[in-house]
Amino acid sequence: MTLRFYNSATRRKEVFEPRHPGRVSMYVCGPTVYDLAHIGNGRTFVSFDLVYRLLAHEYGRDNVVFVRNITDVEDKINQAAADRGISIRELTTETEAAFLEDMGVLGVSPPTYAPRVTDSIPAIIAMIEALIAHGHAYEAEAHVLFQVDSFAEYGALSGRSVEDMIAGARIDVAPFKRSPADFVLWKPSPPELPGWDSPWGRGRPGWHIECSAMIEAVLGPAFGDTIDIHAGGNDLIFPHHENELAQSACAHGGAALAKFWLHSGMLTVEGAKMSKSLGNFLTVQDVLSWGIPGEAIRYYMLKTHYHSPMDWTKAGLGLAWKELDRFYNLLRQVGPAAFEHAEPPEAFLAALADDLNTPGALAVLHDVAGQANSAEGAEKDRLAAQIRAAGAVLGILQSNVAAWFTGSITDGDAIEERINARNQARKDRDFATADRIRDELLAEGIVLEDGPTGTIWRRAS
Ligand code: AMP
Ligand code: ZN
């Protein structure tokens, strides 16, 4: 299968081929662990999880090395720990654990490696030393700064000119900077803040150098200076990715940091940027607390192409959940034996291979589900099994079918009980009672369908 991805570096869709045949390296900027993951973070990590799954489907999971770091050194972390009156370590440990749990609920696969900044300080210091030695960084007042005009390609990824950046820089630029566009690689830490001894005194790294150093430390030995894919939300293109790119190229004699740069679109909520002051800020845990299964959240996110912005609405989420129910309804009419050795539909894989066209891929599945619903016997089994195999690539539709319907609605057992009572009434030829139960359930939004394998229920659409 030929995979194509939109590459932000070239602004074109390009055929993907790993630099080392059959082995893929991928890095996604991980979370800064100061607060619970919000649904925008969730969307970005779901998007790149799908890239990982698709690569794993194509090359074999063991041949894809996926790194997603944990940023556990950051001023926002120091502030949040102070606000809550807890230690920094307590905050980062708790937040990292919550992040991993939320990602698990969203079906995001664990990365191959998840380096923490606090464990990567020697690699960071070594890279800063290399940048100074090569004339790309300088020390000033216990800070080390990257000298932007030492790298001619600076600005190419984000499409900005250094002159514009300098013109746009705020007046209160630190006086020790040679140019307003220069950015921090290392800064001093007072005794009460996290800090490490370094050739420039006790201090801590800037944000951008962390990723460059962790990529070099974790992926460098096996893959060299250039990895295959670097990804993150499109709010990271500038300055974060521009700076990562500059640091790595300058520390490695000009070698490109990544062949492909992939960026996902931002998520808004009910038409507005998420913000605590607007009251539309939603964490993953907020949504789960409404009783929505993580799989429905994931499915909802997959309905929008990862590159486009996504506007999250309650109505859209409800609709997504119903669509997922419809697929599960089909799967529950089929014996699990039918699922063995099934492959996803070709057209589904072709859509995903085309820069992760998830709306197109899901349209194929809806089509196949329509055919399956009107098919019988072995043909129905075959089509349903294709859908389930496609679900494995998307990270959905793998739940136990009975658990899906009982677990996703609070009174699932009660519904089953009433279906049994109706069946008994029908056996007893008490059709008035049987019809009454059916009508009562319908009034509660539950539709019964009598089929060859018995009676099943679904939520009315
Ligand atoms: P952070 O923890 O803030 O560094 O963010 C982690 C990831 O979430 C980054 O890749 C961001 O680009 C991404 N992200 C942040 N806000 C949003 C949003 N509203 N929609 C989509 N992705 C986001
Ligand atoms: Zn990064």
Side-chain angles (χ1 to χ4, degrees):
M1 190 167 57
T2 304
L3 300 181
R4 287 187 175 76
F5 295 123
Y6 180 84
N7 188 353
S8 303
T10 56
R11 295 169 179 72
R12 276 188 289 121
K13 213 191 275 184
E14 292 177 333
V15 171
F16 176 77
E17 266 166 29
R19 295 183 65 249
H20 300 269
R23 289 192 302 136
V24 184
S25 51
M26 171 170 169
Y27 182 89
V28 172
C29 297
T32 304
V33 284
Y34 68 101
D35 204 353
L36 293 175
H38 59 62
I39 53 176
N41 304 138
R43 182 199 188 201
T44 287
F45 294 116
V46 163
S47 298
F48 298 121
D49 174 58
L50 186 55
V51 174
Y52 179 37
R53 285 170 185 266
L54 188 63
L55 293 168
H57 181 82
E58 181 68 14
Y59 297 96
R61 183 150 294 232
D62 291 345
N63 296 317
V64 184
V65 181
F66 170 35
V67 181
R68 190 187 66 208
N69 74 295
I70 297 283
T71 295
D72 58 354
V73 178
E74 238 275 335
D75 291 355
K76 279 185 273 190
I77 296 175
N78 304 340
Q79 187 61 48
D83 291 348
R84 286 182 53 190
I86 58 175
S87 75
I88 286 168
R89 180 59 69 121
E90 211 176 322
L91 174 73
T92 55
T93 306
E94 169 194 302
T95 314
E96 180 184 324
F99 172 78
L100 294 178
E101 193 177 327
D102 291 348
M103 291 306 114
V105 177
L106 294 181
V108 173
S109 328
T112 325
Y113 298 103
R116 294 190 190 94
V117 175
T118 48
D119 296 329
S120 311
I121 300 295
I124 293 170
I125 291 177
M127 194 177 238
I128 296 175
E129 285 180 314
L131 287 169
I132 295 174
H134 295 143
H136 294 290
Y138 58 94
E139 187 185 353
E141 296 186 23
H143 290 71
V144 181
L145 293 132
F146 184 89
Q147 186 167 336
V148 164
D149 67 11
S150 73
F151 181 53
E153 289 154 50
Y154 190 81
L157 179 67
S158 58
R160 294 170 190 234
S161 79
V162 178
E163 292 72 38
D164 288 351
M165 286 178 225
I166 292 171
R170 306 223 322 260
I171 324 281
D172 57 353
V173 175
F176 51 80
K177 284 192 182 183
R178 290 185 191 165
S179 158
D182 293 352
F183 58 89
V184 167
L185 301 174
W186 188 264
K187 59 187 167 191
S189 267
E192 69 279 10
L193 289 182
W196 291 265
D197 289 334
S198 80
W200 320 287
R202 183 178 184 276
R204 60 192 195 277
W207 174 31
H208 318 300
I209 193 70
E210 301 168 354
C211 286
S212 288
M214 286 185 278
I215 292 170
E216 180 192 71
V218 181
L219 292 168
F223 291 92
D225 292 336
T226 306
I227 60 171
D228 290 309
I229 297 176
H230 191 310
N234 68 15
D235 58 331
L236 299 188
I237 296 177
F238 188 86
H240 186 55
H241 288 169
E242 193 73 75
N243 292 354
E244 277 189 44
L245 185 157
Q247 294 160 163
S248 296
C250 291
H252 299 144
L257 170 55
K259 195 166 163 191
F260 277 77
W261 287 84
L262 268 52
H263 290 106
S264 58
M266 290 292 106
L267 178 141
T268 52
V269 173
E270 310 281 352
K273 186 173 180 285
M274 243 191 303
S275 101
K276 286 187 177 149
S277 60
L278 284 179
N280 68 348
F281 189 94
L282 289 175
T283 63
V284 172
Q285 291 187 12
D286 288 334
V287 181
L288 294 173
S289 75
W290 305 338
I292 312 283
E295 195 176 327
I297 302 175
R298 180 181 178 95
Y299 178 89
Y300 181 31
M301 290 168 170
L302 295 178
K303 287 182 67 175
T304 305
H305 187 246
Y306 80 99
H307 208 258
S308 308
M310 170 179 175
D311 188 38
W312 168 289
T313 64
K314 247 188 161 170
L317 176 64
L319 184 64
W321 191 3
K322 280 200 180 113
E323 286 178 20
L324 204 48
D325 275 352
R326 182 165 167 260
F327 285 125
Y328 270 113
N329 232 322
L330 170 65
L331 297 186
R332 91 167 136 177
Q333 298 168 52
V334 175
F339 297 145
E340 283 165 31
H341 312 301
E343 285 292 327
E346 296 262 325
F348 164 87
L349 288 175
L352 282 190
D354 181 16
D355 193 32
L356 233 62
N357 178 1
T358 51
L362 289 173
V364 173
L365 297 192
H366 283 296
D367 246 25
V368 176
Q371 292 166 35
N373 279 325
S374 44
E376 301 276 345
E379 178 64 359
K380 189 185 198 92
D381 288 1
R382 190 181 69 80
L383 295 168
Q386 284 190 353
I387 290 177
R388 181 148 144 127
V393 181
L394 294 176
I396 56 170
L397 297 174
Q398 308 303 298
S399 300
N400 174 288
V401 179
W404 174 259
F405 283 99
T406 51
S408 62
I409 195 153
T410 41
D411 57 354
D413 285 347
I415 294 170
E416 295 292 341
E417 250 170 52
R418 287 153 79 190
I419 291 174
N420 292 341
R422 173 172 170 266
N423 288 342
Q424 190 58 48
R426 287 187 348 169
K427 253 191 221 147
D428 299 341
R429 307 194 69 74
D430 177 1
F431 296 113
T433 302
D435 287 350
R436 181 176 52 74
I437 295 173
R438 167 190 286 257
D439 292 346
E440 283 171 2
L441 283 168
L442 188 60
E444 294 167 34
I446 305 295
V447 179
L448 300 189
E449 283 172 0
D450 298 314
T453 50
T455 304
I456 57 171
W457 62 266
R458 62 176 170 82
R459 272 178 284 281
S461 35

